[in-house]
Amino acid sequence: MNINVLLVDDRQLLLECLSNRLNKEPTIRVVGVVSNPEFLLHEIIATSPNIVLMNIGMKLVNGIDLTVELLKNMPHLRIIILSKHDYAEYIQAAYNAGASAFMTEEKPIQELIFTIKQVYSGHKLFPKIEVIKIDKMLTPKEYEILKWIAEDKTNSEISEEMMISIRTVEYHISSIIRKLNVESRVGAVVTAIKRGLLSIK
């Protein structure tokens, strides 16, 4: 039985190279490539992939946001996040978003093939990161609040959107500011964008 894989990246050349290489593997079949994330949902419905292989850092939107959105409606979907960097923030964000694996682009193709097969079998594969760094990562709720802040929402508006008290919102914002080692809401957004946790829209 073939493992059907959908590739998502805004670099067309990389998509073609990766597709050609993966299709040489007897048990893997690339069912589609998506260079524009706007067409991702349509392509998933059309091709029914077992696994989505997605880059974390695309120009229009990042792979973390896409992972969260996809898994809300398709929790069975297995997503592998690819990245140029193995920053602890990226790894933890991918894990929190519900991805099945994270690996850097520099890894050999055979390791990627191994990861695809392992994820298809139900395993989760993430690089080990220092526990001291994990403690500083944002929780899913903090990440959601950070995205609302990036959209210039007030504490009151975030409270209404998330159906939590303003005091709780303020608590989470203080935690975000502390974890990102910044001094303000604006600083938190800027730092998150630099680290690839948020996309510039």
Side-chain angles (χ1 to χ4, degrees), residues 134-149:
I134 293 178
D135 291 339
K136 296 179 181 178
M137 295 305 103
L138 302 182
T139 65
K141 184 159 288 187
E142 288 170 349
Y143 180 64
E144 186 177 354
I145 287 175
L146 182 60
K147 289 194 290 185
W148 285 122
I149 294 173

Side-chain angles (χ1 to χ4, degrees), residues 147-175:
K147 289 194 290 185
W148 285 122
I149 294 173
E151 294 183 15
D152 205 26
K153 297 285 186 180
T154 65
N155 289 3
S156 178
E157 289 170 332
I158 294 173
S159 170
E160 291 179 9
E161 291 284 355
M162 298 183 66
M163 292 184 288
I164 57 178
S165 70
I166 293 180
R167 185 180 294 273
T168 300
V169 172
E170 292 172 346
Y171 169 80
H172 284 303
I173 291 175
S174 295
S175 178

Side-chain angles (χ1 to χ4, degrees), residues 65-78:
D65 286 342
L66 284 176
T67 296
V68 171
E69 290 303 316
L70 288 176
L71 293 179
K72 279 182 182 179
N73 301 313
M74 293 170 281
H76 64 282
L77 199 61
R78 291 168 183 171

Side-chain angles (χ1 to χ4, degrees), residues 86-154:
D86 61 351
Y87 298 146
E89 291 91 345
Y90 287 12
I91 298 168
Q92 190 66 34
Y95 181 85
N96 288 346
S100 296
F102 178 102
M103 67 180 298
T104 55
E105 297 174 2
E106 66 188 25
K107 297 294 184 182
I109 189 67
Q110 288 302 324
E111 189 166 337
L112 177 58
I113 291 170
F114 172 80
T115 299
I116 289 172
K117 291 179 178 179
Q118 288 295 302
V119 167
Y120 180 73
S121 298
H123 299 287
K124 289 195 173 227
L125 298 177
F126 288 86
K128 292 181 180 179
I129 54 178
E130 297 176 20
V131 175
I132 190 171
K133 290 184 179 180
I134 293 178
D135 291 339
K136 296 179 181 178
M137 295 305 103
L138 302 182
T139 65
K141 184 159 288 187
E142 288 170 349
Y143 180 64
E144 186 177 354
I145 287 175
L146 182 60
K147 289 194 290 185
W148 285 122
I149 294 173
E151 294 183 15
D152 205 26
K153 297 285 186 180
T154 65

